[in-house]
Amino acid sequence: MNTSDPLKMKSLLEHLVEITGHRDHELLDISVMSALMNMVGVEQACVLELFQSRGELLVRPRVRIAEGKVQAAQPESSAADNGEPIVAYPGLVSCIAQRRSRLEETRADGRHVLWIPMWQNDKVSTCLEIVHSQPFMPHMLQVMEGILSVYRNYQSLLEYSERDSLTGLLNRKTFDEKFSRLASARQSEPVDEHDRRQSGNIKTQWLAVVDIDHFKRVNDAFGHLYGDEVLILVANILRASFRAQDCIFRFGGEEFVVLLRSTTLEDARMVFERFRANVEKHAFPQVGCITISLGFAAITQETPVVILGHADQALYHAKDSGRNRVCHYDELVEQGLIGRSKQSESVEIFFD
């Protein structure tokens, strides 16, 4: 691209303004993909997320360019997308191992692939896979380097402001914005609340509150360093148990919140139960067995505080009835085990 062309320069600047105008990683990814497609002519690309699970480095897509469109990656099923081992991407492995800023390879079908890891403080949590039918020319690489430098710097700023410093999960102050976006998606699905409670086949959004059982005992018996390691490992299991488009927050202490994108009650319960089981069977160094309790509720037209209160009530019941279990708010109400809460002035999710 000839950046001396005023129209092209104006278009480039507009894309850069859009990239730096977002406060959300998914929208930031989409803006970068749009810039690469429109300014460089990229035919196929993907933003890949790298994360640890049980000592293995996994990769899963977040946003992609496919068939001339930019779209958030959607798994084929509503079950959690657990990603693929990074060894399935040898070009990416080689690029990271050599600590390179980019690596180009040619596939058997003749298409050219460019791997661009986003290095942040000597680590890589995001990588771009860019595919083109022709070799990447110097002017293409120059424009991409400019776009991706802005992307990398702005991503770093977002990470700093949005993430919990210990676990790397989203922090509590980002919850309202993420919840509002998920609630907006729910509003496009007008479903009567009675019908929602009667049918397990209706897709909706879900909020879950997670608490580590007897966490204070871990700190008291083994010290805060081991307690922090438990929090980090549980956070890793959370990442591996849910899809890239689901949002996971550390609310403080040993409490976590999950916003689960559109899925049925049956699938939501399956995913939450699988996460619970994954924690239970994980061998935590020195500490041994750790369990979690989880309460979840449907995201409705009510406020975040009320819905958090519903999930919180279900979590309290899970704690009171033995811990290491998953409880659904509406089912507990229907069974008469808890009362239906209409309002909640505040939500406290601190347990032992």
Side-chain angles (χ1 to χ4, degrees):
M1 184 190 78
N2 181 8
T3 54
S4 63
D5 185 326
L7 290 178
K8 291 183 178 179
M9 178 58 74
K10 180 182 178 182
S11 181
L12 176 59
L13 291 174
E14 288 174 348
H15 277 294
L16 294 180
V17 168
E18 182 182 358
I19 289 170
T20 57
H22 294 303
R23 299 294 184 271
D24 178 89
H25 279 280
E26 184 177 298
L27 295 177
L28 176 62
D29 292 343
I30 289 172
S31 294
V32 169
M33 291 287 100
S34 297
L36 292 175
M37 183 174 67
N38 297 332
M39 302 305 302
V40 190
V42 169
E43 302 164 355
Q44 181 182 334
C46 190
V47 178
L48 299 169
E49 176 187 11
L50 283 63
F51 64 99
Q52 290 278 348
S53 177
R54 299 185 184 180
E56 186 175 24
L57 188 58
L58 303 178
V59 177
R60 61 185 169 198
R62 269 199 326 236
V63 173
R64 58 165 55 97
I65 297 174
E67 299 178 353
K69 297 180 180 179
V70 179
Q71 55 193 11
Q74 297 289 337
E76 294 182 357
S77 71
S78 58
D81 177 15
N82 292 321
E84 294 181 276
I86 195 171
V87 293
Y89 301 84
L92 175 57
V93 172
S94 178
C95 186
I96 293 176
Q98 298 175 42
R99 305 189 60 76
R100 296 175 62 172
S101 59
R102 68 172 184 252
L103 184 146
E104 184 175 347
E105 62 178 357
T106 305
R107 289 180 176 170
D109 61 3
R111 295 173 71 81
H112 298 263
V113 181
L114 193 65
W115 296 102
I116 305 178
M118 295 290 107
W119 291 97
Q120 301 283 357
N121 297 325
D122 233 21
K123 297 180 181 179
V124 177
S125 61
T126 303
C127 178
L128 271 67
E129 177 192 26
I130 302 173
V131 183
H132 201 58
S133 58
Q134 302 295 326
F136 294 93
M137 303 303 291
H139 72 278
M140 293 179 65
L141 295 174
Q142 184 179 25
V143 175
M144 281 194 288
E145 182 178 348
I147 293 171
L148 295 178
S149 292
V150 174
Y151 172 61
R152 182 184 296 108
N153 291 340
Y154 202 69
Q155 186 184 62
S156 179
L157 289 174
L158 281 182
E159 289 285 335
Y160 180 79
S161 65
E162 289 186 349
R163 299 284 172 177
D164 171 62
S165 59
L166 177 66
T167 63
L169 298 177
L170 293 168
N171 57 33
R172 185 166 186 168
K173 72 178 183 180
T174 65
F175 172 77
D176 287 344
E177 180 185 350
K178 303 290 184 182
F179 182 94
S180 296
R181 291 185 61 201
L182 202 63
S184 296
R186 186 266 171 205
Q187 289 173 3
S188 65
E189 304 171 353
V191 177
D192 180 83
E193 294 306 317
H194 176 75
D195 291 340
R196 178 185 304 284
R197 293 192 290 270
Q198 297 302 315
S199 175
N201 296 320
I202 298 172
K203 289 189 175 182
T204 190
Q205 326 296 334
W206 304 92
L207 184 149
V209 179
V210 178
D211 181 80
I212 300 175
D213 296 329
H214 300 302
F215 184 70
K216 186 176 183 298
R217 297 182 189 177
V218 174
N219 283 331
D220 290 345
F222 301 98
H224 287 277
L225 286 178
Y226 280 101
D228 286 351
E229 184 176 25
V230 167
L231 291 170
I232 292 168
L233 292 174
V234 169
N236 290 340
I237 298 171
L238 275 162
R239 287 191 192 91
S241 299
F242 295 91
R243 302 166 297 184
Q245 67 268 34
D246 299 322
C247 297
I248 309 168
F249 306 81
R250 183 187 176 200
F251 257 42
E254 67 271 29
E255 292 81 37
F256 304 87
V257 169
V258 179
L259 295 179
L260 191 66
R261 295 284 181 97
S262 182
T263 190
T264 64
L265 171 59
E266 180 181 350
D267 283 342
R269 192 197 317 276
M270 178 190 68
V271 171
F272 292 141
E273 281 286 358
R274 180 168 55 195
F275 162 63
R276 183 203 59 77
N278 286 343
V279 174
E280 183 181 24
K281 67 187 179 184
H282 186 86
F284 290 82
Q286 186 70 25
V287 177
C289 180
I290 292 290
T291 62
I292 62 95
S293 297
L294 183 150
F296 72 103
I299 294 178
T300 64
Q301 303 283 4
E302 295 174 290
T303 66
V305 169
V306 171
I307 296 170
L308 267 171
H310 291 170
D312 197 39
Q313 278 186 272
L315 176 60
Y316 266 107
H317 184 82
K319 291 285 187 179
D320 290 343
S321 56
R323 295 182 170 84
N324 190 24
R325 62 191 60 205
V326 172
C327 290
H328 176 213
Y329 171 76
D330 280 330
E331 287 185 351
L332 296 176
V333 171
E334 289 165 4
Q335 294 167 10
L337 297 173
I338 61 174
R340 183 171 296 279
S341 173
K342 294 297 183 183
Q343 293 183 347
S344 177
E345 294 298 325
S346 63
V347 178
E348 295 184 4
I349 48 174
F350 298 94
F351 302 94
D352 179 21

